[in-house]
Amino acid sequence: MLWLPHWAAASGADNWEVNGFATQGFFYSDHNNIYGQSEDGSLDFRELAVNGVWQPTDDLFFAGQLMSRRAGEAQDGSLQVDYALLDYRFAENIDGRAGIRVGRIKNPFGFYNETRDVAFTRPSILLAQAVYFDNARDLLLSSDGVSFYGARYMEHGWLDMDLLFGKPNTETTVEYAYLSQDWPGEFNDSNGFMWRTVYNTSDQRWRLGFTMGRFNLEYNADEAALAALPLLTQMVAPQDGHIDIDAYLLSAQYNLEHWSFTAELSRQKVNWGTLDGIFATDPENRFESGYLQAEYRISPHWTLMARYEELYLDIEDRDGRQAEATLGKPAHTQFAKDLILGVGWQPDPQWLFRAEWHKVRGTAWLPEQDNPDQNALRKNWNLFALQATYRF
């Protein structure tokens, strides 16, 4: 589902809406860096977006969003098309509805991925990095392709279903996430699919979801650039090949008047087997991650949030010792355990302010772009974050 604030632009036509938001964050960490040099205090995180929708008929609409996102060294704030699609609902009756979307579409992954950049729709400043991994954000965020969606109404609830086929985004951040650095070469001709189904009870107390997806990322090495590198680097660098990623996610949420409890558990299988180089030493890994989260709505203006999450980059090497011996990276770069406490204040419909504290053991989800010397990372660290968002 696309998120659009309910303010409509004075366009002279009821079927037009233009909206937007601006988010500024501040991050301070006692060790390690995230979103800039956070050890010194960083304001190097901001999100600016303008979105619009045009609905010429009851069953057809066009929607799109332009976005600028600055996130330390990982993203430079350049303007991008976040999504741009045509949505046609070709069936709707008392039993359900069905439709098709074509264009750049948000991937239907879990409860929060489609609206992960909209502060008003997420429960915290940082989504659970164990599942909504910002280092692989571009890959998870959207795909250029076609999506089929539908809902089936039942006696005690309804079932939402989404099936997407397309070409995922494979910017440089994806290379850092799955190749550890920006090697000479790039991903081309990648493709994938994602399927999600969510059951909602009629009273909206329960939401139960399952997501599965597969991405095939074709990598083309730049042979000329590789030839100019030292021989040892050439030997460990990835060659032409592909990465296969299989992802599975279980999601559950229970809602009461003042409380919401959410849990998501993710498994990924990543196969680098055709890339050779250093990736031939450990051609297949299984990631595992998950979180438990509680939200308490004190009033319409104030909320409290607590979450615990864990991430393991290899379930057969949970303490990271094998990776340390093989790759030379500190063991704690292979896992992360994070306890988060947060508070949110929304004084009016346009403004939202949040504060958050993270007590972290491990560094698996820290961006390498902000931490080029992995050996300098500290295993135990704290992160304090502030965020202000305005929507219009």
Side-chain angles (χ1 to χ4, degrees):
M1 180 180 294
L2 296 174
W3 179 87
L4 289 169
H6 29 255
W7 183 83
S11 61
D14 293 336
N15 56 0
W16 276 95
E17 287 189 7
V18 177
N19 310 273
F21 61 87
T23 295
Q24 176 64 56
F26 172 78
F27 294 85
Y28 173 76
S29 54
D30 57 356
H31 305 293
N32 312 325
N33 287 311
I34 182 170
Y35 303 136
Q37 298 300 306
S38 58
E39 286 186 279
D40 299 321
S42 174
L43 288 166
D44 209 5
F45 179 89
R46 68 190 61 89
E47 297 169 319
L48 306 171
V50 175
N51 57 61
V53 61
W54 175 46
Q55 187 170 359
T57 67
D58 290 341
D59 53 11
L60 177 68
F61 74 82
F62 301 84
Q65 177 167 284
L66 291 174
M67 185 171 183
S68 166
R69 188 175 192 265
R70 176 72 181 183
E73 295 299 319
Q75 292 184 302
D76 61 7
S78 59
L79 195 64
Q80 297 182 344
V81 178
D82 192 38
Y83 62 83
L85 58 91
L86 176 153
D87 185 312
Y88 174 60
R89 184 173 298 181
F90 53 78
E92 185 166 19
N93 54 46
I94 60 173
D95 295 319
R97 55 183 170 82
I100 183 172
R101 297 182 179 120
V102 180
R104 177 162 293 179
I105 306 163
K106 291 295 187 70
N107 290 331
F109 182 76
F111 285 155
Y112 297 111
N113 189 64
E114 290 154 295
T115 59
R116 64 187 296 158
D117 295 326
V118 184
F120 288 86
T121 66
R122 62 188 184 228
S124 53
I125 295 175
L126 290 179
L127 282 176
Q129 291 300 290
V131 172
Y132 300 95
F133 200 38
D134 254 8
N135 284 353
R137 175 184 178 276
D138 289 332
L139 182 68
L140 284 176
L141 186 64
S142 62
S143 297
D144 295 334
V146 59
S147 170
F148 301 92
Y149 67 89
R152 176 71 176 178
Y153 307 137
M154 294 171 282
E155 182 178 359
H156 300 293
W158 75 94
L159 197 65
D160 285 319
M161 293 162 284
D162 295 270
L163 177 61
L164 182 149
F165 299 92
K167 179 181 179 180
N169 191 342
T170 52
E171 299 292 339
T172 303
T173 54
V174 177
E175 292 189 41
Y176 276 95
Y178 289 99
L179 299 180
S180 295
Q181 67 182 69
D182 183 11
W183 293 96
E186 60 183 8
F187 289 111
N188 289 313
D189 302 322
S190 301
N191 60 78
F193 81 90
M194 189 162 285
W195 169 64
R196 180 187 64 190
T197 183
V198 179
Y199 175 71
N200 310 267
T201 58
S202 299
D203 58 8
Q204 299 187 39
R205 284 201 171 187
W206 281 100
R207 298 180 70 207
L208 303 172
F210 174 70
T211 306
M212 67 174 295
R214 181 179 178 87
F215 294 111
N216 178 272
L217 310 183
E218 293 287 341
Y219 182 77
N220 294 322
D222 186 336
E223 295 182 4
L226 280 174
L229 297 176
L231 180 60
L232 180 59
T233 304
Q234 294 180 44
M235 294 174 61
V236 301
Q239 306 299 315
D240 290 351
H242 59 86
I243 302 175
D244 294 321
I245 303 171
D246 294 296
Y248 304 90
L249 179 64
L250 290 173
S251 308
Q253 187 174 78
Y254 182 61
N255 296 298
L256 297 169
E257 181 180 0
H258 294 287
W259 288 92
S260 289
F261 300 95
T262 308
E264 292 191 285
L265 176 64
S266 175
R267 276 281 183 98
Q268 282 191 38
K269 183 176 73 173
V270 182
N271 191 312
W272 296 271
T274 66
L275 294 182
D276 292 328
I278 195 171
F279 300 94
T281 62
D282 191 10
E284 184 175 288
N285 272 6
R286 286 177 169 83
F287 297 9
E288 184 177 80
S289 61
Y291 70 89
L292 297 171
Q293 175 180 280
E295 301 169 76
Y296 179 64
R297 293 172 286 277
I298 302 172
S299 72
H301 303 292
W302 289 92
T303 60
L304 298 176
M305 184 277 301
R307 183 171 68 233
Y308 178 73
E309 58 187 82
E310 292 190 1
L311 166 65
Y312 300 96
L313 298 185
D314 185 349
I315 60 175
E316 296 180 357
D317 183 29
R318 291 179 183 269
D319 60 9
R321 293 180 182 177
Q322 182 178 331
E324 185 173 39
T326 304
L327 304 176
K329 289 185 175 183
H332 57 73
T333 63
Q334 304 303 299
F335 65 85
K337 302 176 182 181
D338 192 358
L339 174 65
I340 307 103
L341 300 176
V343 59
W345 176 46
Q346 187 174 347
D348 59 48
Q350 277 71 51
W351 284 97
L352 174 64
F353 301 91
R354 281 201 172 107
E356 213 164 88
W357 169 61
H358 296 242
K359 184 174 181 60
V360 194
R361 184 169 180 262
T363 59
W365 52 260
L366 280 174
E368 293 195 29
Q369 298 94 315
D370 291 323
N371 301 277
D373 183 359
Q374 296 284 285
N375 291 311
L377 291 172
R378 298 282 291 273
K379 179 179 179 179
N380 298 300
W381 55 289
N382 292 275
L383 173 66
F384 304 91
L386 300 172
Q387 186 180 80
T389 300
Y390 176 75
R391 63 180 174 184
F392 56 89

